[in-house]
């Protein structure tokens, strides 16, 4: 297949591009490199030293003889460029990672809220709009998030996208329907993913676009089979308070002797998936497109759920780290249960990589190797969800005064 990977320079996009190139597909990465600019804005860098996208693709070619093409295009702002590119290359499938993906970054200030909404919604809409305009029947696979469901405890398993309901008619009968699971975003970032869902519903119904939406859990790990092949193919690895995700952050904190940062009671339960499984799921989704004219296909792309404090205690036990119990910068339920259905990927052959799989040690090794690159002052999470919460985020786990942001 000829596959366009939108946002293919990012944490999930890069290993996905390598995996699919390795499987024999013709890969074109479209990216505006905004994630690298955000590193500059925040004064942080990936824990792992990342080369330029041009250098990464050159090394991949030298290692494998396979080419990955790169095109510098902003999906949200360069509509004509995007449309012309799609018209010329006419991909069979498009994977859409090209969004601002950090909830804390999206809550940093009014400017960051605007940026996240403008970037994410325009990127998604421009893509859908261009597909219709060009009459291009490419299968669109989008990376959404488990966060669209919200994290309220209802005591029932979260289904894969659609909720069966009974609607009482005016004549008193109950009619069975399946509706999108009620959206319940917990941040501006999550809100954009909820809005994306509506864009997909409309374009699948109105224009018969073939769309798969993957509601992904928190991705952990860094290496995949392909990124291990050469030091310069290494994946990015975020540890800072905005972009670092919880499990990867704990592992880095353990490696540099920093207290594990648990916010609130640590009673938040979240869904997780290893990066290797994430790229496999995307391949499975590509191989199982919905039929033209059918509703949006939705998969829950996660393999296990864990409570944050259990993860912290497990890693503290493994590494001898301290746990720092900190005020929560987010506005969220202090404790929640989470049961999630993921039967569709399991039914299509996914064999989950679990936390017990020995990969935690590998990540601690990576973290130790590059520990000299960590700026400890960037570890605390300082983006607060409201101005009142911001006042409570004033000390880092080592007792230093913090400048909080909301
Ligand atoms: N990492 C996770 O734990 C996780 C969990 C659930 C869902 N997701 C979703 O998966 C997708 C990829 O996540 P990631 O962790 O790889 O993020 P990332 O920030 O590392 O990668 C996103 C890439 O998209 C590019 N991009 C952003 N806006 C763009 C635009 N307007 N035009 C062109 N390129 C643009 C960035 O430069 C970056 O290379 C995101 O949509 C995210 O919401 C990620």
């Amino acid at each position: 297949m000829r596959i366009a990977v939108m946002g293919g320079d990012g944490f999930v996009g890069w290993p996905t591009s390598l995996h699919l190139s390795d499987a024999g597909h013709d890969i074109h990465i479209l990216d505006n490199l905004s994630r690298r600019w955000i590193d500059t804005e925040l004064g942080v860098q990936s824990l792992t030293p990342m080369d330029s996208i041009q250098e990464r693709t050159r090394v991949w070619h030298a290692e494998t003889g396979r080419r990955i093409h790169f095109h510098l295009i902003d999906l949200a702002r360069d509509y004509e460029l995007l449309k012309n590119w799609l018209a010329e290359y006419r991909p069979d499938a498009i994977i859409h990672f090209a969004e601002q993906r950090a909830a804390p970054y999206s809550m940093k200030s009014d400017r960051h809220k605007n940026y996240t909404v403008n970037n994410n919604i325009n990127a998604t809409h421009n893509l859908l709009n261009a597909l219709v305009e060009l009459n291009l029947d490419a299968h669109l696979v989008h990376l959404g998030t488990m966060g669209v469901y919200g994290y309220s405890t209802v005591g029932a398993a979260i289904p894969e996208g659609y909720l069966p309901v009974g609607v009482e008619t005016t004549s008193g009968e109950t009619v069975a329907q399946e509706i999108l699971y009620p959206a319940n975003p917990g941040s501006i970032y999550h809100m954009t993913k909820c809005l994306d869902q509506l864009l997909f519903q409309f374009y699948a119904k109105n224009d018969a676009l073939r769309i798969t939406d993957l509601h992904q859990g928190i991705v952990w790990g860094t290496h995949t089979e392909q990124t291990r092949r050469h030091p310069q193919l290494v994946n990015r690895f975020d540890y800072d308070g905005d972009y670092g995700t919880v499990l990867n952050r704990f592992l880095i904190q353990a490696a540099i002797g920093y207290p594990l940062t648990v916010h609130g009671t640590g009673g938040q339960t979240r869904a997780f998936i290893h990066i290797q499984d994430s790229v496999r799921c995307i391949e499975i989704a590509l191989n199982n497109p919905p039929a033209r004219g059918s509703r949006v296909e939705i998969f829950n792309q996660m393999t296990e759920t864990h409570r944050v404090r259990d993860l912290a205690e497990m890693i503290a036990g493994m590494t001898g780290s301290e746990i720092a119990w900190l005020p929560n910068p987010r506005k969220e339920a202090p404790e929640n249960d989470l049961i999630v259905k993921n039967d569709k990927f399991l039914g299509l052959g996914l064999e989950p990589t679990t936390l017990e799989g020995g990969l935690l040690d590998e990540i601690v090794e990576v973290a130790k190797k590059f520990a000299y690159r960590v700026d400890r002052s960037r570890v605390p999470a300082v983006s607060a969800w409201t101005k009142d919460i911001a006042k409570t985020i004033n000390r880092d786990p080592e007792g230093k005064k913090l400048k909080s942001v909301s």
Side-chain angles (χ1 to χ4, degrees):
M1 275 191 270
R2 173 176 290 181
I3 303 174
V5 184
M6 311 306 194
D9 187 44
F11 171 57
V12 191
W14 174 242
T16 302
S17 301
L18 298 184
H19 181 81
L20 296 172
S21 174
D22 209 21
H25 299 291
D26 180 17
I27 303 299
H28 291 257
I29 289 176
L30 277 71
D31 201 299
N32 65 351
L33 307 182
S34 53
R35 182 66 194 84
R36 292 177 185 254
W37 279 106
I38 290 174
D39 273 346
T40 306
E41 174 199 344
L42 299 176
V44 296
Q45 55 182 354
S46 160
L47 174 78
T48 47
M50 281 165 75
D51 282 319
S52 69
I53 181 69
Q54 292 86 349
E55 179 65 2
R56 289 170 130 187
T57 56
R58 185 193 68 73
V59 172
W60 179 245
H61 180 247
E63 277 295 301
T64 63
R66 299 197 55 76
R67 290 236 180 255
I68 293 179
H69 308 272
F70 169 64
H71 312 269
L72 183 65
I73 296 180
D74 186 326
L75 265 66
R77 288 151 60 132
D78 301 335
Y79 177 72
E80 291 300 325
L81 217 55
L82 171 67
K83 191 169 86 173
N84 293 341
W85 186 88
L86 289 169
E88 187 178 344
Y89 288 91
R90 300 196 75 83
D92 305 299
I94 298 170
I95 310 171
H96 176 24
F97 297 103
E99 295 182 86
Q100 190 300 100
R101 70 100 171 133
Y105 184 86
S106 78
M107 300 300 287
K108 249 182 157 32
S109 72
D110 53 351
R111 179 176 76 74
H112 295 90
K113 290 178 187 178
N114 272 346
Y115 169 72
T116 303
V117 171
N118 291 337
N119 186 65
N120 294 4
I121 302 304
N122 284 326
T124 301
H125 190 260
N126 282 346
L127 199 48
L128 295 163
N129 198 5
L131 291 179
V132 173
E133 188 59 23
L134 298 169
N135 199 14
L136 186 56
D137 183 29
H139 174 205
L140 177 64
V141 176
H142 170 254
L143 272 289
T145 163
M146 286 295 305
V148 297
Y149 300 121
Y151 293 108
S152 56
T153 301
V154 287
I158 292 181
E160 305 210 49
Y162 298 96
L163 182 70
V165 293
V167 182
E168 197 174 325
T169 64
T170 44
S171 55
E173 293 157 46
T174 301
V175 176
Q177 287 215 313
E178 280 206 312
I179 59 167
L180 260 189
Y181 194 89
N184 186 7
S187 72
I188 293 288
Y189 156 70
H190 291 103
M191 186 187 77
T192 64
K193 295 288 185 176
C194 295
L195 295 171
D196 280 347
Q197 288 197 99
L198 290 180
L199 300 180
F200 297 143
Q201 297 300 308
F202 174 75
Y203 278 96
K205 183 180 72 173
N206 198 63
D207 300 287
L209 293 189
R210 294 183 298 137
I211 303 171
T212 298
D213 202 3
L214 304 175
H215 291 179
Q216 182 166 247
I218 299 170
V219 182
W220 64 281
T222 180
H223 286 313
T224 61
E225 198 190 317
Q226 289 76 26
T227 63
R228 279 194 195 89
R229 289 203 193 153
H230 189 283
Q232 284 177 279
L233 295 175
V234 72
N235 199 9
R236 68 172 302 131
F237 195 153
D238 298 307
Y239 68 88
D240 60 283
D242 286 316
Y243 276 87
T245 49
V246 60
L247 182 54
N248 277 2
R249 265 166 65 78
F250 285 163
L251 292 164
I252 291 175
Q253 290 165 352
I256 63 167
Y258 195 96
L260 309 184
T261 51
V262 174
H263 297 127
T265 63
Q268 308 91 332
T269 307
R270 295 291 181 265
F272 292 87
I273 184 165
H274 188 263
I275 184 81
Q276 181 71 66
D277 287 352
S278 179
V279 304
R280 284 196 192 115
C281 285
I282 291 163
E283 186 179 23
I284 293 173
L286 281 172
N287 291 335
N288 293 278
R292 203 167 159 81
S294 57
R295 71 181 183 181
V296 176
E297 183 71 70
I298 301 178
F299 290 84
N300 288 340
Q301 184 163 309
M302 51 70 67
T303 55
E304 53 193 322
T305 59
H306 292 282
R307 206 172 279 275
V308 168
R309 66 170 168 264
D310 296 342
L311 288 178
E313 278 159 9
M314 180 180 83
I315 291 162
M318 251 173 72
T319 59
S321 305
E322 300 278 306
I323 297 179
W325 303 90
L326 300 169
N328 192 351
R330 301 185 185 220
K331 189 167 183 171
E332 63 185 2
E335 307 262 333
N336 70 285
D337 290 329
L338 185 64
I339 312 162
V340 183
K341 291 205 165 159
N342 65 345
D343 307 341
K344 283 160 80 173
F345 273 131
L346 297 177
L348 290 167
L350 177 70
E351 288 172 21
T353 308
T354 56
L355 283 187
E356 285 74 32
L359 287 165
L360 291 173
D361 289 336
E362 180 185 86
I363 302 165
V364 175
E365 280 314 303
V366 174
K368 280 190 179 144
K369 182 170 170 196
F370 296 112
Y372 67 92
R373 290 169 56 85
V374 174
D375 176 351
R376 299 172 83 88
S377 73
R378 300 296 164 180
V379 175
V382 292
S383 291
W385 262 228
T386 67
K387 290 189 166 56
D388 283 342
I389 294 174
K391 291 178 196 142
T392 66
I393 314 296
N394 49 19
R395 298 261 162 211
D396 78 6
E398 295 178 319
K400 291 195 204 78
K401 205 162 171 8
L402 280 173
K403 188 176 167 296
S404 58
V405 184
S406 79

